[in-house]
Amino acid sequence: MGNEAQTHDLDRMKMRGRIMRRSASFNVAHAVDDLGPGTGAQSIQRALSLLGLVGIISSENPNGAPLSEIVAISGRPKASVHRMLNALIAMGYVERCEDGGYRLGVQSQIMGQLAQKSADPAIEESESSLLRLAELTQDTAFLTMRTGSYSICARREDGFGPIFNNALAVGDRHPLGIGAGSLAIMTQFSDAEVDASFDANSRIFADRYPEVSVPRLKEIIRRGRHDGFVHNPGLFAQGSWAIGVPLRVKGRKPRAALSIASIEERMTGARVFELAELLQHEARQIAEAVNSASGEDQT
Amino acid sequence: MGNEAQTHDLDRMKMRGRIMRRSASFNVAHAVDDLGPGTGAQSIQRALSLLGLVGIISSENPNGAPLSEIVAISGRPKASVHRMLNALIAMGYVERCEDGGYRLGVQSQIMGQLAQKSADPAIEESESSLLRLAELTQDTAFLTMRTGSYSICARREDGFGPIFNNALAVGDRHPLGIGAGSLAIMTQFSDAEVDASFDANSRIFADRYPEVSVPRLKEIIRRGRHDGFVHNPGLFAQGSWAIGVPLRVKGRKPRAALSIASIEERMTGARVFELAELLQHEARQIAEAVNSASGEDQT
DNA sequence: CATCCGCGGTCCACATCATGGATCCGACTT
DNA sequence: AAGTCGGATCCATGATGTGGACCGCGGATG
């Protein structure tokens, strides 16, 4: 249960060309089936996965996501996808543009507004920092946030150089431990929490990231605790190296991290420390901004 | 099918005190069960209703929505609500704050961001206009948007006077025709479309708004087409009068509207025309802004 | 012009999956 | 200690979502 997606590998192969350009959707499609059956909420999870997929695809393609593409990437039968999309449309979370493509709807926008009031302000505050980082380093800067035992790419700003890194797009979900930002967050955990997190996701690691060595990750976390930043030497995606620092805010539990990703040549030697320095500086800025902001808006 | 909520009226009575303060949630709870069974997507709709509910409640209550309240308002059994919320949490759309309350999660924020790229820019552009309107009139200004045969309150700004109108909150959904903004949108329809819309929602009107006369609404729409604005003399909520104007943007089909609501005394005589004037002015501003914006961001 | 193919949409028998009443547990109040 | 309230869990039941197969269209192709 969970490898049913394999039966659709052929379909996916056919459109590999398209997917290469957008590993984002690919990742999302593969971060879908957590929380196995028996929990009584599979349809919800599938539907929300679709919603995320629509969001990502349509944010790249100006006139919406065609059904066929959603079907191919999600790996679910066309009829099911169609039915779910209709449900999402009925609820206003998805709309169809004139040309028939699917895109996010008004309700999604509204949810976003509501979410910004109640959820973590780090996403807001991080914007200028990410822009600065992307500008200064000419690489790609990310804000990663934790949710439960997962981490999500919450924001991303590209530098102006040739774009090297498209291994992670806004909205991508990976289990905690996958990605420099994710690892940076985990440096804030206790050893017990780290172990618990990896244990919780052990099956997903085995299924989805068989090439990743958990002990290796734990080692990186340990070193990160000491150094104040983590360094991922291309462990997760071919040629995608990255540095991440945690974002500490007051006494809050759920955490965030900033990271920068680039190719190997730009992620070695002295530059590692320069980048770490930059990241830490911005992380402090954001933390302060969040602190003062949350002090005011008690309305 | 659809009146099952009635069995929970007693529960609701108990917390009427709380609900009075927040008719928003009330409205949402009642805009839930559209698209009857047989469509194969009830669980999705229910789950998304919950999501909206969490959004609205938690946007008002700083430390999240307690399960019991969500249960009471949604009118669904506790176990079901609990299970669905867990699914939403697993997907990152909902989070729990320290005190145990439910609030919107990181994914919801991200969806919002993605949505703003692909969906209607009117919501963005309207902000300053709504602020001006609220400031100038000291009443409450709304942006209403259409989705399918529904209209949604997409934005709301309160004036500084004593707050008279809490009949409509951000995120509230009503069938097209309920509310001044909604009616303003319908002035852009052809007669056939107006009829079709009311027909599509006829059962919902009968169930949920038995006191509303559809012919009366059609009359208001007709007059609105002539005047360029619609005037709702407290038809939907006791003492809540309103004026709305449609928002025309280029050749787009889905539409939006601006409206102002207040008490009867402030919605009669010459002031009606002053307000209509103001609204039309802002509507034009927004339309222009949207036009020029959509011209640029073709990336 | 006939044909094929990709794409979006629909149907419906089947069994998986969500359902919700009952129950339990811990925290807080009287 | 007994009572109350909010949250979490269990599990038999059938309503509900599922997805393979089919349809119709429009645009390329030979």
Side-chain angles (χ1 to χ4, degrees), chain B residues 46 77 79-80 83-84:
Chain B
R46 291 201 262 255
S80 299
R83 175 168 33 79
M84 287 172 161

Side-chain angles (χ1 to χ4, degrees), chain B residues 222-263:
Chain B
R222 249 192 309 279
R223 196 150 10 142
R225 279 205 270 254
H226 175 262
D227 296 342
F229 68 93
V230 301
H231 183 226
N232 154 36
L235 285 184
F236 309 112
Q238 183 73 288
S240 171
W241 290 41
I243 292 173
V245 307
L247 201 64
R248 307 169 211 217
V249 179
K250 287 200 307 185
R252 303 228 182 142
K253 278 182 298 178
R255 286 294 164 72
L258 294 179
S259 60
I260 292 179
S262 188
I263 54 172

Side-chain angles (χ1 to χ4, degrees), chain B:
Chain B
M1 302 251 168
N3 52 9
E4 54 203 307
Q6 309 233 343
T7 60
H8 291 266
D9 275 343
L10 286 180
D11 304 351
R12 279 215 215 88
M13 286 317 225
K14 290 193 207 151
M15 48 180 311
R16 180 141 60 147
R18 289 207 229 163
I19 285 181
M20 297 296 280
R21 273 191 346 208
R22 193 190 332 96
S23 60
S25 326
F26 190 72
N27 290 333
V28 161
H30 282 249
V32 166
D33 37 5
D34 2 316
L35 203 71
T39 44
Q42 295 192 72
S43 68
I44 297 175
Q45 303 209 357
R46 291 201 262 255
L48 290 181
S49 302
L50 272 195
L51 184 62
L53 215 50
V54 170
I56 292 178
I57 299 180
S58 66
S59 76
E60 298 172 358
N61 195 327
N63 43 16
L67 177 62
S68 56
E69 187 165 3
I70 303 176
V71 168
I73 297 176
S74 71
R76 309 214 76 78
K78 194 167 44 164
S80 299
V81 172
H82 186 258
R83 175 168 33 79
M84 287 172 161
L85 284 175
N86 275 341
L88 293 174
I89 289 174
M91 297 300 288
Y93 283 83
V94 169
E95 288 174 0
R96 306 206 61 172
C97 7
E98 314 73 58
D99 59 22
Y102 294 87
R103 64 151 184 247
L104 294 182
V106 181
Q107 280 285 10
S108 297
Q109 275 179 286
I110 294 176
M111 288 305 301
Q113 283 188 50
L114 293 178
Q116 287 177 357
K117 293 184 190 167
S118 52
D120 203 308
I123 293 185
E124 297 284 315
E125 301 296 347
S126 68
E127 182 170 24
S128 57
S129 287
L130 291 176
L131 285 169
R132 270 194 297 273
L133 287 172
E135 171 79 19
L136 283 172
T137 65
Q138 295 290 8
D139 294 316
T140 310
F142 298 92
L143 173 71
T144 304
M145 302 207 61
R146 176 197 180 192
T147 333
S149 63
Y150 275 83
S151 62
I152 303 180
C153 172
R155 243 175 203 277
R156 169 197 166 123
E157 293 296 339
D158 295 308
F160 283 108
I163 299 162
F164 290 112
N165 192 304
N166 56 356
L168 190 65
V170 173
D172 281 6
R173 275 163 34 116
H174 292 283
L176 273 176
I178 301 295
S182 201
L183 290 167
I185 293 173
M186 295 182 84
T187 63
Q188 303 290 306
F189 289 8
S190 69
D191 280 325
E193 285 173 314
V194 171
D195 291 343
S197 172
F198 281 122
D199 287 349
N201 288 327
S202 60
R203 227 198 50 211
I204 295 173
F205 269 96
D207 282 6
R208 211 98 71 212
Y209 310 88
E211 75 285 1
V212 174
S213 150
V214 170
R216 182 83 189 272
L217 297 183
K218 291 187 181 176
E219 171 56 26
I220 291 182
I221 292 171
R222 249 192 309 279
R223 196 150 10 142
R225 279 205 270 254
H226 175 262
D227 296 342
F229 68 93
V230 301
H231 183 226
N232 154 36
L235 285 184
F236 309 112
Q238 183 73 288
S240 171
W241 290 41
I243 292 173
V245 307
L247 201 64
R248 307 169 211 217
V249 179
K250 287 200 307 185
R252 303 228 182 142
K253 278 182 298 178
R255 286 294 164 72
L258 294 179
S259 60
I260 292 179
S262 188
I263 54 172
E264 178 171 358
E265 292 80 56
R266 298 171 65 79
M267 284 288 156
T268 48
R271 193 161 192 264
V272 169
F273 295 96
E274 289 172 27
L275 292 178
E277 187 76 21
L278 270 175
L279 284 167
Q280 283 162 345
H281 179 69
E282 295 295 346
R284 254 175 271 125
Q285 294 245 351
I286 296 175
E288 281 172 28
V290 170
N291 278 334
S292 59
S294 64
E296 295 164 12
D297 66 21
Q298 291 295 33
T299 315

Side-chain angles (χ1 to χ4, degrees), chain A residues 54-95:
Chain A
V54 171
I56 292 178
I57 300 179
S58 66
S59 75
E60 298 172 359
N61 194 328
N63 43 15
L67 178 62
S68 57
E69 187 165 3
I70 303 176
V71 168
I73 296 177
S74 71
R76 309 214 74 79
K78 191 170 45 165
S80 299
V81 172
H82 186 257
R83 175 169 31 80
M84 287 172 164
L85 285 175
N86 275 341
L88 294 174
I89 289 174
M91 297 300 287
Y93 284 83
V94 169
E95 290 174 358

Side-chain angles (χ1 to χ4, degrees), chain A residues 5-16 19 72:
Chain A
Q6 308 232 344
T7 59
H8 292 267
D9 274 342
L10 285 180
D11 304 350
R12 280 214 214 86
M13 285 319 224
K14 289 191 207 151
M15 50 182 311
R16 180 141 60 146
I19 286 182

Side-chain angles (χ1 to χ4, degrees), chain A residues 40-272:
Chain A
Q42 296 191 74
S43 66
I44 297 176
Q45 303 207 359
R46 289 202 263 256
L48 290 180
S49 302
L50 272 196
L51 185 60
L53 214 52
V54 171
I56 292 178
I57 300 179
S58 66
S59 75
E60 298 172 359
N61 194 328
N63 43 15
L67 178 62
S68 57
E69 187 165 3
I70 303 176
V71 168
I73 296 177
S74 71
R76 309 214 74 79
K78 191 170 45 165
S80 299
V81 172
H82 186 257
R83 175 169 31 80
M84 287 172 164
L85 285 175
N86 275 341
L88 294 174
I89 289 174
M91 297 300 287
Y93 284 83
V94 169
E95 290 174 358
R96 308 207 58 174
C97 9
E98 315 73 56
D99 59 22
Y102 294 87
R103 62 151 185 250
L104 294 183
V106 181
Q107 280 285 11
S108 296
Q109 283 185 77
I110 293 176
M111 288 304 300
Q113 283 189 49
L114 293 178
Q116 286 177 357
K117 292 184 190 169
S118 51
D120 203 306
I123 294 185
E124 299 284 315
E125 303 296 347
S126 67
E127 181 170 24
S128 58
S129 287
L130 290 176
L131 285 169
R132 269 193 299 273
L133 287 171
E135 171 79 18
L136 282 172
T137 66
Q138 296 290 9
D139 294 317
T140 311
F142 298 93
L143 173 71
T144 304
M145 302 206 61
R146 175 198 179 189
T147 333
S149 62
Y150 274 83
S151 62
I152 304 179
C153 172
R155 242 172 204 281
R156 169 195 168 122
E157 293 296 340
D158 294 308
F160 283 108
I163 300 164
F164 291 111
N165 191 305
N166 55 357
L168 191 64
V170 173
D172 280 6
R173 276 163 32 116
H174 291 283
L176 272 177
I178 301 296
S182 202
L183 289 168
I185 293 174
M186 294 182 86
T187 62
Q188 303 291 304
F189 289 9
S190 68
D191 280 325
E193 285 174 314
V194 170
D195 290 343
S197 173
F198 280 122
D199 287 348
N201 289 328
S202 60
R203 227 199 51 211
I204 294 172
F205 268 95
D207 282 5
R208 211 98 71 213
Y209 309 89
E211 75 286 0
V212 174
S213 150
V214 170
R216 180 85 191 270
L217 298 183
K218 289 187 181 176
E219 171 56 26
I220 291 183
I221 292 171
R222 250 192 308 278
R223 195 152 11 143
R225 279 205 270 256
H226 175 263
D227 296 339
F229 68 92
V230 301
H231 184 225
N232 155 35
L235 286 184
F236 308 113
Q238 181 75 288
S240 171
W241 289 41
I243 292 172
V245 307
L247 202 63
R248 308 170 210 217
V249 180
K250 286 200 306 186
R252 303 227 183 142
K253 278 181 300 179
R255 285 295 164 71
L258 294 180
S259 61
I260 292 179
S262 189
I263 54 172
E264 176 171 358
E265 292 79 57
R266 297 170 66 78
M267 284 286 156
T268 48
R271 192 159 193 266
V272 168

